[in-house]
Amino acid sequence: MTTHHTRMLILGSGPAGLSAAIYGARAGMKPILVQGIQPGGQLMTTTDVENYPGFADVIQGPWLMEQMQKQAEHVGTTLMYDTIVAVDLSQRPFRLTGDSGDVYEGEVLIIATGAQAKWLGLDSEEALKGKGVSACATCDGFFYRGKKVAVIGGGNTAVEEALYLTNHSPDVTLIHRRSSLRAERILQERLFAHKGVTVLWNKEVDQFVDGGGNAGLVAIDLVDTVTGEKSRLETEGGFVAIGHHPATELFRGHLKLDEDHYLWVETGSTRTSVPGVFACGDVMDKIYRQAVTAAGTGCMAALDAEKFLAEAEFELAEAAE
Ligand code: FAD
Ligand code: NAP
């Protein structure tokens, strides 16, 4: 077992963690970043990225993450292939234990452990991910411009995604398993008023239908949750919008979470409920969930953490005089 000590410890190697690392390293913090089981984060699971600023041509998610990782290393970040399995945030330096048995001590801690979309769990969904089935309309909606698309879910995310998709598609169907939506009233009103949206009530997805060859998704087979009747909806894009799981289990009982289990942060900052612990990216953001916003809050977390350390070290120096 080895103990690694750093002024700035970062968890997560998605856009949030790596952006925090770039800022932290350039401020001389010599950060250690623990990458977790998905080095590079969620963008490693996608292909085309067209909305990350700075690239006139379409780029690939894994390539973008490789570049961010190299940039973080070039400016002085140490990347560790480990996953944190236990945390002690009761005193500074914070002590975290990796799956390897190694211990990581950080004078400040930046948490960027992200979130994962919930899926329906169907084999056909797994087979057609990236070939018509997606969990992010903001990311992938543009690829379906002019085509028929469907959104599955009845919460705020589903309704917002359906409304967003009307920017690209003349024919959007919202599929919901009950006869009323969970989404806020104002969003519901906007949805119902939109001529380009049809709502299918009391319907569950039975399977996503593969057109064979390179066709990808061509239809969704549905089952009525009341009558059991089966039907087919022809569509080329199926957006699953049934919620996300933020990766916060590790911090339960150590840090304040919000009602949806995201890490709570003070409004307008990345400060969590424990001084010296900061959170950025999808683990604290249930609204935007984009690479660029994750990177933006990663930058904020590094700046907040640096300021915290400078103040703490100044107070220590004053007390010693
Ligand atoms: P993540 O990318 O989720 O990274 C989380 C990191 O935390 C991972 O490295 C993981 O290994 C690590 N981690 C988790 N637990 C631990 C632990 N216990 N110890 C150590 N490390 C841990 N956004 C866009 O802007 N444009 C797009 O085109 C786009 N396309 C997408 C396509 C797909 C298929 C998906 C799934 C998402 C897409 N997104 C897109 C959303 C974007 O990927 C996320 O908003 C972004 O990755 C969030 O970054 P993050 O750093 O907060 O977290
Ligand atoms: P959510 O509120 O949990 O809604 C999930 C929806 O998916 C529900 O309608 C649920 O149906 C449905 N669903 C869940 N599992 C399903 C399954 N297996 N099959 C079919 N349908 C399923 O999730 P969310 O919409 O992502 O929102 C999460 C949180 O973020 C909420 O607090 C929300 O208010 C917030 N949010 C806010 C904004 C905003 O303020 N603009 C935007 C996005 C999200 P039932 O209704 O039948 O349970």
Side-chain angles (χ1 to χ4, degrees):
M1 183 209 80
T2 310
T3 298
H4 310 269
H5 184 94
T6 173
R7 293 178 79 204
M8 181 181 278
L9 180 61
I10 301 171
L11 303 193
S13 51
L18 289 170
S19 301
I22 291 163
Y23 274 78
R26 294 192 75 254
M29 297 275 160
K30 297 193 170 63
I32 290 180
L33 183 150
V34 182
Q35 303 205 68
I37 47 167
Q38 190 177 47
Q42 293 172 60
L43 280 187
M44 299 302 284
T45 67
T46 192
T47 51
D48 293 358
V49 175
E50 283 193 334
N51 55 9
Y52 197 83
F55 305 95
D57 295 324
V58 65
I59 52 168
Q60 301 297 298
W63 177 84
L64 177 62
M65 296 320 300
E66 193 190 322
Q67 293 299 310
M68 279 194 208
Q69 184 184 317
K70 283 184 179 157
Q71 189 179 358
E73 282 183 307
H74 287 165
V75 291
T77 306
T78 303
L79 298 180
M80 305 299 296
Y81 289 96
D82 205 351
T83 298
I84 297 303
V85 293
V87 302
D88 177 1
L89 308 181
S90 60
Q91 56 182 1
R92 288 182 44 240
F94 305 116
R95 265 176 81 84
L96 288 81
T97 309
D99 193 32
S100 64
D102 282 8
V103 170
Y104 300 87
E105 288 183 347
E107 296 297 333
V108 287
L109 172 65
I110 295 180
I111 301 170
T113 48
Q116 298 287 328
K118 289 184 192 166
W119 294 95
L120 297 168
L122 302 167
D123 290 344
S124 56
E125 174 186 63
E126 192 56 39
L128 284 165
K129 274 184 195 169
K131 297 173 197 152
V133 175
S134 163
C136 181
T138 323
C139 314
D140 298 333
F142 190 66
F143 302 124
Y144 298 89
R145 50 196 181 279
K147 297 179 176 171
K148 279 182 75 169
V149 294
V151 176
I152 298 111
N156 276 353
T157 304
V159 173
E160 284 193 342
E161 298 224 326
L163 287 169
Y164 175 80
L165 286 166
T166 61
N167 294 322
H168 307 300
S169 166
D171 189 341
V172 179
T173 303
L174 185 83
I175 299 164
H176 184 40
R177 63 182 175 183
R178 294 187 296 118
S179 59
S180 64
L181 297 174
R182 185 181 290 276
E184 285 166 51
R185 178 68 47 196
I186 185 155
L187 284 173
Q188 295 197 28
E189 283 168 7
R190 265 183 233 152
L191 185 86
F192 298 145
H194 204 295
K195 290 193 175 57
V197 181
T198 307
V199 182
L200 289 182
W201 300 109
N202 301 320
K203 298 280 187 285
E204 258 175 358
V205 176
D206 191 28
Q207 65 158 341
F208 293 96
V209 182
D210 191 337
N214 289 329
L217 181 74
V218 290
I220 302 178
D221 283 344
L222 302 166
V223 183
D224 192 293
T225 52
V226 178
T227 64
E229 193 185 327
K230 295 196 170 186
S231 57
R232 175 168 283 196
L233 175 75
E234 285 182 9
T235 187
E236 288 176 74
F239 292 88
V240 179
I242 60 170
H244 285 75
H245 290 294
T248 53
E249 205 45 51
L250 196 55
F251 309 107
R252 193 172 291 280
H254 300 276
L255 291 171
K256 187 172 158 185
L257 307 183
D258 76 6
E259 64 284 5
D260 296 310
H261 316 292
Y262 285 75
L263 283 183
W264 174 90
V265 291
E266 250 178 76
T267 308
S269 90
T270 60
R271 287 189 290 272
T272 68
S273 54
V274 171
V277 180
F278 303 85
C280 50
D282 284 13
V283 74
M284 49 70 89
D285 167 23
K286 62 185 172 204
I287 310 275
Y288 303 105
R289 295 191 285 241
Q290 295 299 295
V292 67
T293 47
T297 54
C299 156
M300 286 168 64
L303 297 178
D304 285 344
E306 251 177 82
K307 185 164 177 268
F308 172 88
L309 256 191
E311 283 169 7
E313 285 166 0
F314 180 73
E315 277 168 25
L316 260 184
E318 283 228 306
E321 274 173 17

